[in-house]
Amino acid sequence: MEPAAISKKITARLLPYIAFLYLICYVDKVNIGNVHTRMVQGIGISEQKFALCTSVFFLGFLLFEIPSNCFLKIIGARRWIARIMISWGICTLLIGSASSFSSLFILRLLLGISEAGFYPGIIYYLTMWFTEDQRASRIAMFSSSSAVGGFVGGMLAYGILQMDGFLGIQGWRWVFLLEGIPSIVMGL
């Protein structure tokens, strides 16, 4: 088989999958902004405390980005990325149960820690499959799914928020409960 045909086959199999993973990642990142008003009211926290909870995600992300990628190299990209997906999905689900500032703060910090290493891990994974001159276009294809994730996240949140009161659960909680499941499933 010709190298170009092999690359084309790898691209056709691998890129849609990892682009979908990144789309899920991005949907999980933007969901807190999509439920902002209802979440603040539902938990009963101030705008300042909400902003702090939103920001602490990036602290966990920043502090654990490098260690996460060190583990990725030791454990292997496939298993480590699966761990990242499962743990961030669990954190997302748990955010749906947050009932106070402290619980939301801790869960957002854990979400940042859990998700750390995903993007650079995928980039590293791509280096295993594509030559140097092929990588830029493959990374661009993969990264473009974040724009789709912003759109999809907003549309999903709008639809899920309509479930407000279903089974006695607030709509903003449903957003986290339902949007955490795909991360776990795709990590398995």
mmCIF file of all heavy atoms in Angstrom, residues 153-184:
data_model
loop_
_atom_site.group_PDB
_atom_site.id
_atom_site.type_symbol
_atom_site.label_atom_id
_atom_site.label_comp_id
_atom_site.label_asym_id
_atom_site.label_seq_id
_atom_site.Cartn_x
_atom_site.Cartn_y
_atom_site.Cartn_z
ATOM 1 N N GLY A 153 -22.731 23.257 21.667
ATOM 2 C CA GLY A 153 -22.929 23.438 23.106
ATOM 3 C C GLY A 153 -24.072 24.376 23.420
ATOM 4 O O GLY A 153 -24.890 24.113 24.299
ATOM 5 N N GLY A 154 -24.134 25.481 22.688
ATOM 6 C CA GLY A 154 -25.223 26.431 22.900
ATOM 7 C C GLY A 154 -26.579 25.856 22.541
ATOM 8 O O GLY A 154 -27.563 26.032 23.273
ATOM 9 N N MET A 155 -26.618 25.146 21.426
ATOM 10 C CA MET A 155 -27.885 24.539 20.997
ATOM 11 C C MET A 155 -28.330 23.435 21.958
ATOM 12 O O MET A 155 -29.506 23.344 22.301
ATOM 13 C CB MET A 155 -27.756 23.987 19.573
ATOM 14 C CG MET A 155 -27.448 25.055 18.522
ATOM 15 S SD MET A 155 -28.627 26.416 18.507
ATOM 16 C CE MET A 155 -30.034 25.614 17.805
ATOM 17 N N LEU A 156 -27.378 22.616 22.386
ATOM 18 C CA LEU A 156 -27.705 21.565 23.345
ATOM 19 C C LEU A 156 -28.198 22.153 24.660
ATOM 20 O O LEU A 156 -29.198 21.689 25.220
ATOM 21 C CB LEU A 156 -26.479 20.692 23.623
ATOM 22 C CG LEU A 156 -26.165 19.583 22.655
ATOM 23 C CD1 LEU A 156 -24.837 18.915 23.013
ATOM 24 C CD2 LEU A 156 -27.269 18.542 22.633
ATOM 25 N N ALA A 157 -27.483 23.157 25.154
ATOM 26 C CA ALA A 157 -27.882 23.778 26.420
ATOM 27 C C ALA A 157 -29.288 24.349 26.317
ATOM 28 O O ALA A 157 -30.102 24.173 27.228
ATOM 29 C CB ALA A 157 -26.887 24.862 26.818
ATOM 30 N N TYR A 158 -29.576 25.017 25.205
ATOM 31 C CA TYR A 158 -30.914 25.575 25.022
ATOM 32 C C TYR A 158 -31.972 24.469 25.094
ATOM 33 O O TYR A 158 -32.978 24.589 25.795
ATOM 34 C CB TYR A 158 -31.025 26.313 23.688
ATOM 35 C CG TYR A 158 -32.436 26.764 23.400
ATOM 36 C CD1 TYR A 158 -32.950 27.903 24.015
ATOM 37 C CD2 TYR A 158 -33.260 26.045 22.539
ATOM 38 C CE1 TYR A 158 -34.253 28.306 23.783
ATOM 39 C CE2 TYR A 158 -34.561 26.442 22.298
ATOM 40 C CZ TYR A 158 -35.052 27.571 22.919
ATOM 41 O OH TYR A 158 -36.347 27.961 22.700
ATOM 42 N N GLY A 159 -31.736 23.386 24.382
ATOM 43 C CA GLY A 159 -32.700 22.288 24.375
ATOM 44 C C GLY A 159 -32.827 21.618 25.731
ATOM 45 O O GLY A 159 -33.936 21.353 26.215
ATOM 46 N N ILE A 160 -31.685 21.366 26.367
ATOM 47 C CA ILE A 160 -31.707 20.680 27.661
ATOM 48 C C ILE A 160 -32.327 21.558 28.742
ATOM 49 O O ILE A 160 -33.031 21.056 29.626
ATOM 50 C CB ILE A 160 -30.285 20.218 28.050
ATOM 51 C CG1 ILE A 160 -29.774 19.173 27.054
ATOM 52 C CG2 ILE A 160 -30.262 19.654 29.462
ATOM 53 C CD1 ILE A 160 -28.297 18.830 27.196
ATOM 54 N N LEU A 161 -32.105 22.857 28.674
ATOM 55 C CA LEU A 161 -32.707 23.759 29.665
ATOM 56 C C LEU A 161 -34.240 23.703 29.640
ATOM 57 O O LEU A 161 -34.892 24.042 30.629
ATOM 58 C CB LEU A 161 -32.220 25.198 29.456
ATOM 59 C CG LEU A 161 -30.806 25.489 29.948
ATOM 60 C CD1 LEU A 161 -30.331 26.854 29.457
ATOM 61 C CD2 LEU A 161 -30.714 25.403 31.461
ATOM 62 N N GLN A 162 -34.804 23.257 28.542
ATOM 63 C CA GLN A 162 -36.261 23.114 28.453
ATOM 64 C C GLN A 162 -36.766 21.982 29.344
ATOM 65 O O GLN A 162 -37.969 21.858 29.583
ATOM 66 C CB GLN A 162 -36.701 22.874 26.997
ATOM 67 C CG GLN A 162 -36.225 23.920 25.996
ATOM 68 C CD GLN A 162 -36.458 25.350 26.440
ATOM 69 O OE1 GLN A 162 -37.573 25.727 26.786
ATOM 70 N NE2 GLN A 162 -35.401 26.147 26.456
ATOM 71 N N MET A 163 -35.851 21.155 29.834
ATOM 72 C CA MET A 163 -36.217 20.056 30.728
ATOM 73 C C MET A 163 -36.365 20.529 32.172
ATOM 74 O O MET A 163 -36.554 19.717 33.072
ATOM 75 C CB MET A 163 -35.159 18.945 30.663
ATOM 76 C CG MET A 163 -35.044 18.272 29.327
ATOM 77 S SD MET A 163 -33.684 17.071 29.258
ATOM 78 C CE MET A 163 -34.210 15.874 30.479
ATOM 79 N N ASP A 164 -36.274 21.834 32.401
ATOM 80 C CA ASP A 164 -36.355 22.397 33.745
ATOM 81 C C ASP A 164 -37.573 21.841 34.484
ATOM 82 O O ASP A 164 -38.693 21.923 33.995
ATOM 83 C CB ASP A 164 -36.433 23.927 33.672
ATOM 84 C CG ASP A 164 -36.250 24.574 35.022
ATOM 85 O OD1 ASP A 164 -35.449 24.057 35.820
ATOM 86 O OD2 ASP A 164 -36.922 25.594 35.289
ATOM 87 N N GLY A 165 -37.322 21.233 35.625
ATOM 88 C CA GLY A 165 -38.400 20.676 36.436
ATOM 89 C C GLY A 165 -38.686 19.207 36.161
ATOM 90 O O GLY A 165 -39.371 18.556 36.951
ATOM 91 N N PHE A 166 -38.175 18.670 35.067
ATOM 92 C CA PHE A 166 -38.404 17.254 34.757
ATOM 93 C C PHE A 166 -37.766 16.405 35.855
ATOM 94 O O PHE A 166 -36.601 16.592 36.197
ATOM 95 C CB PHE A 166 -37.827 16.906 33.381
ATOM 96 C CG PHE A 166 -38.032 15.476 32.968
ATOM 97 C CD1 PHE A 166 -39.303 14.986 32.714
ATOM 98 C CD2 PHE A 166 -36.955 14.624 32.857
ATOM 99 C CE1 PHE A 166 -39.498 13.667 32.342
ATOM 100 C CE2 PHE A 166 -37.129 13.303 32.477
ATOM 101 C CZ PHE A 166 -38.404 12.824 32.229
ATOM 102 N N LEU A 167 -38.519 15.505 36.424
ATOM 103 C CA LEU A 167 -38.106 14.666 37.553
ATOM 104 C C LEU A 167 -37.659 15.499 38.747
ATOM 105 O O LEU A 167 -36.863 15.050 39.578
ATOM 106 C CB LEU A 167 -36.988 13.690 37.137
ATOM 107 C CG LEU A 167 -37.312 12.690 36.039
ATOM 108 C CD1 LEU A 167 -36.081 11.849 35.695
ATOM 109 C CD2 LEU A 167 -38.463 11.780 36.465
ATOM 110 N N GLY A 168 -38.158 16.729 38.822
ATOM 111 C CA GLY A 168 -37.825 17.610 39.938
ATOM 112 C C GLY A 168 -36.417 18.175 39.893
ATOM 113 O O GLY A 168 -35.907 18.670 40.892
ATOM 114 N N ILE A 169 -35.775 18.094 38.731
ATOM 115 C CA ILE A 169 -34.386 18.562 38.589
ATOM 116 C C ILE A 169 -34.363 19.850 37.768
ATOM 117 O O ILE A 169 -35.021 19.937 36.733
ATOM 118 C CB ILE A 169 -33.517 17.470 37.912
ATOM 119 C CG1 ILE A 169 -33.522 16.198 38.776
ATOM 120 C CG2 ILE A 169 -32.092 17.962 37.678
ATOM 121 C CD1 ILE A 169 -32.857 15.005 38.119
ATOM 122 N N GLN A 170 -33.607 20.820 38.250
ATOM 123 C CA GLN A 170 -33.488 22.092 37.547
ATOM 124 C C GLN A 170 -32.806 21.891 36.192
ATOM 125 O O GLN A 170 -31.925 21.040 36.048
ATOM 126 C CB GLN A 170 -32.675 23.092 38.387
ATOM 127 C CG GLN A 170 -33.345 23.453 39.697
ATOM 128 C CD GLN A 170 -32.390 24.185 40.624
ATOM 129 O OE1 GLN A 170 -31.253 23.781 40.819
ATOM 130 N NE2 GLN A 170 -32.874 25.272 41.221
ATOM 131 N N GLY A 171 -33.201 22.703 35.222
ATOM 132 C CA GLY A 171 -32.680 22.585 33.867
ATOM 133 C C GLY A 171 -31.176 22.704 33.772
ATOM 134 O O GLY A 171 -30.526 21.963 33.022
ATOM 135 N N TRP A 172 -30.573 23.628 34.524
ATOM 136 C CA TRP A 172 -29.123 23.790 34.450
ATOM 137 C C TRP A 172 -28.412 22.539 34.936
ATOM 138 O O TRP A 172 -27.341 22.193 34.441
ATOM 139 C CB TRP A 172 -28.646 25.030 35.210
ATOM 140 C CG TRP A 172 -28.741 24.951 36.702
ATOM 141 C CD1 TRP A 172 -29.772 25.379 37.486
ATOM 142 C CD2 TRP A 172 -27.755 24.404 37.588
ATOM 143 N NE1 TRP A 172 -29.495 25.129 38.816
ATOM 144 C CE2 TRP A 172 -28.255 24.532 38.899
ATOM 145 C CE3 TRP A 172 -26.510 23.821 37.411
ATOM 146 C CZ2 TRP A 172 -27.551 24.106 40.028
ATOM 147 C CZ3 TRP A 172 -25.803 23.382 38.524
ATOM 148 C CH2 TRP A 172 -26.338 23.533 39.812
ATOM 149 N N ARG A 173 -29.013 21.833 35.883
ATOM 150 C CA ARG A 173 -28.417 20.578 36.366
ATOM 151 C C ARG A 173 -28.465 19.506 35.274
ATOM 152 O O ARG A 173 -27.523 18.739 35.109
ATOM 153 C CB ARG A 173 -29.121 20.093 37.627
ATOM 154 C CG ARG A 173 -28.907 21.005 38.821
ATOM 155 C CD ARG A 173 -29.546 20.444 40.087
ATOM 156 N NE ARG A 173 -29.504 21.392 41.171
ATOM 157 C CZ ARG A 173 -28.460 21.608 41.959
ATOM 158 N NH1 ARG A 173 -27.335 20.939 41.754
ATOM 159 N NH2 ARG A 173 -28.505 22.487 42.937
ATOM 160 N N TRP A 174 -29.575 19.480 34.525
ATOM 161 C CA TRP A 174 -29.690 18.530 33.421
ATOM 162 C C TRP A 174 -28.583 18.742 32.393
ATOM 163 O O TRP A 174 -28.085 17.781 31.800
ATOM 164 C CB TRP A 174 -31.056 18.655 32.740
ATOM 165 C CG TRP A 174 -32.159 17.924 33.426
ATOM 166 C CD1 TRP A 174 -33.262 18.472 34.020
ATOM 167 C CD2 TRP A 174 -32.293 16.509 33.583
ATOM 168 N NE1 TRP A 174 -34.061 17.490 34.541
ATOM 169 C CE2 TRP A 174 -33.492 16.274 34.286
ATOM 170 C CE3 TRP A 174 -31.514 15.425 33.212
ATOM 171 C CZ2 TRP A 174 -33.918 14.987 34.609
ATOM 172 C CZ3 TRP A 174 -31.933 14.146 33.542
ATOM 173 C CH2 TRP A 174 -33.123 13.940 34.230
ATOM 174 N N VAL A 175 -28.216 19.991 32.171
ATOM 175 C CA VAL A 175 -27.157 20.279 31.186
ATOM 176 C C VAL A 175 -25.885 19.529 31.563
ATOM 177 O O VAL A 175 -25.279 18.846 30.735
ATOM 178 C CB VAL A 175 -26.896 21.799 31.056
ATOM 179 C CG1 VAL A 175 -25.645 22.083 30.246
ATOM 180 C CG2 VAL A 175 -28.106 22.492 30.440
ATOM 181 N N PHE A 176 -25.478 19.616 32.813
ATOM 182 C CA PHE A 176 -24.254 18.939 33.243
ATOM 183 C C PHE A 176 -24.434 17.430 33.290
ATOM 184 O O PHE A 176 -23.530 16.680 32.914
ATOM 185 C CB PHE A 176 -23.797 19.475 34.604
ATOM 186 C CG PHE A 176 -23.311 20.884 34.535
ATOM 187 C CD1 PHE A 176 -24.132 21.932 34.912
ATOM 188 C CD2 PHE A 176 -22.044 21.170 34.060
ATOM 189 C CE1 PHE A 176 -23.688 23.239 34.835
ATOM 190 C CE2 PHE A 176 -21.593 22.479 33.978
ATOM 191 C CZ PHE A 176 -22.425 23.512 34.365
ATOM 192 N N LEU A 177 -25.583 16.987 33.745
ATOM 193 C CA LEU A 177 -25.834 15.550 33.826
ATOM 194 C C LEU A 177 -25.791 14.902 32.445
ATOM 195 O O LEU A 177 -25.183 13.853 32.258
ATOM 196 C CB LEU A 177 -27.178 15.278 34.502
ATOM 197 C CG LEU A 177 -27.272 15.700 35.967
ATOM 198 C CD1 LEU A 177 -28.709 15.563 36.476
ATOM 199 C CD2 LEU A 177 -26.319 14.890 36.833
ATOM 200 N N LEU A 178 -26.427 15.522 31.478
ATOM 201 C CA LEU A 178 -26.495 14.931 30.142
ATOM 202 C C LEU A 178 -25.242 15.168 29.310
ATOM 203 O O LEU A 178 -24.884 14.336 28.484
ATOM 204 C CB LEU A 178 -27.734 15.435 29.397
ATOM 205 C CG LEU A 178 -29.069 15.002 30.008
ATOM 206 C CD1 LEU A 178 -30.237 15.592 29.235
ATOM 207 C CD2 LEU A 178 -29.183 13.487 30.073
ATOM 208 N N GLU A 179 -24.565 16.286 29.533
ATOM 209 C CA GLU A 179 -23.364 16.563 28.749
ATOM 210 C C GLU A 179 -22.124 15.863 29.300
ATOM 211 O O GLU A 179 -21.111 15.781 28.620
ATOM 212 C CB GLU A 179 -23.130 18.067 28.620
ATOM 213 C CG GLU A 179 -24.173 18.721 27.727
ATOM 214 C CD GLU A 179 -23.956 20.203 27.509
ATOM 215 O OE1 GLU A 179 -22.995 20.787 28.063
ATOM 216 O OE2 GLU A 179 -24.759 20.793 26.756
ATOM 217 N N GLY A 180 -22.187 15.325 30.513
ATOM 218 C CA GLY A 180 -21.060 14.569 31.053
ATOM 219 C C GLY A 180 -21.008 13.135 30.546
ATOM 220 O O GLY A 180 -19.939 12.521 30.489
ATOM 221 N N ILE A 181 -22.146 12.613 30.150
ATOM 222 C CA ILE A 181 -22.230 11.210 29.724
ATOM 223 C C ILE A 181 -21.392 10.902 28.482
ATOM 224 O O ILE A 181 -20.649 9.913 28.480
ATOM 225 C CB ILE A 181 -23.707 10.798 29.524
ATOM 226 C CG1 ILE A 181 -24.429 10.803 30.881
ATOM 227 C CG2 ILE A 181 -23.815 9.429 28.864
ATOM 228 C CD1 ILE A 181 -25.938 10.664 30.789
ATOM 229 N N PRO A 182 -21.450 11.715 27.416
ATOM 230 C CA PRO A 182 -20.644 11.376 26.231
ATOM 231 C C PRO A 182 -19.139 11.269 26.505
ATOM 232 O O PRO A 182 -18.462 10.415 25.926
ATOM 233 C CB PRO A 182 -20.940 12.512 25.251
ATOM 234 C CG PRO A 182 -22.259 13.037 25.666
ATOM 235 C CD PRO A 182 -22.293 12.874 27.162
ATOM 236 N N SER A 183 -18.623 12.082 27.409
ATOM 237 C CA SER A 183 -17.193 12.016 27.734
ATOM 238 C C SER A 183 -16.840 10.663 28.342
ATOM 239 O O SER A 183 -15.822 10.071 27.983
ATOM 240 C CB SER A 183 -16.820 13.117 28.734
ATOM 241 O OG SER A 183 -17.187 14.368 28.252
ATOM 242 N N ILE A 184 -17.684 10.206 29.225
ATOM 243 C CA ILE A 184 -17.432 8.915 29.872
ATOM 244 C C ILE A 184 -17.546 7.788 28.854
ATOM 245 O O ILE A 184 -16.673 6.921 28.780
ATOM 246 C CB ILE A 184 -18.413 8.704 31.042
ATOM 247 C CG1 ILE A 184 -18.169 9.757 32.123
ATOM 248 C CG2 ILE A 184 -18.280 7.291 31.611
ATOM 249 C CD1 ILE A 184 -19.228 9.817 33.204
#
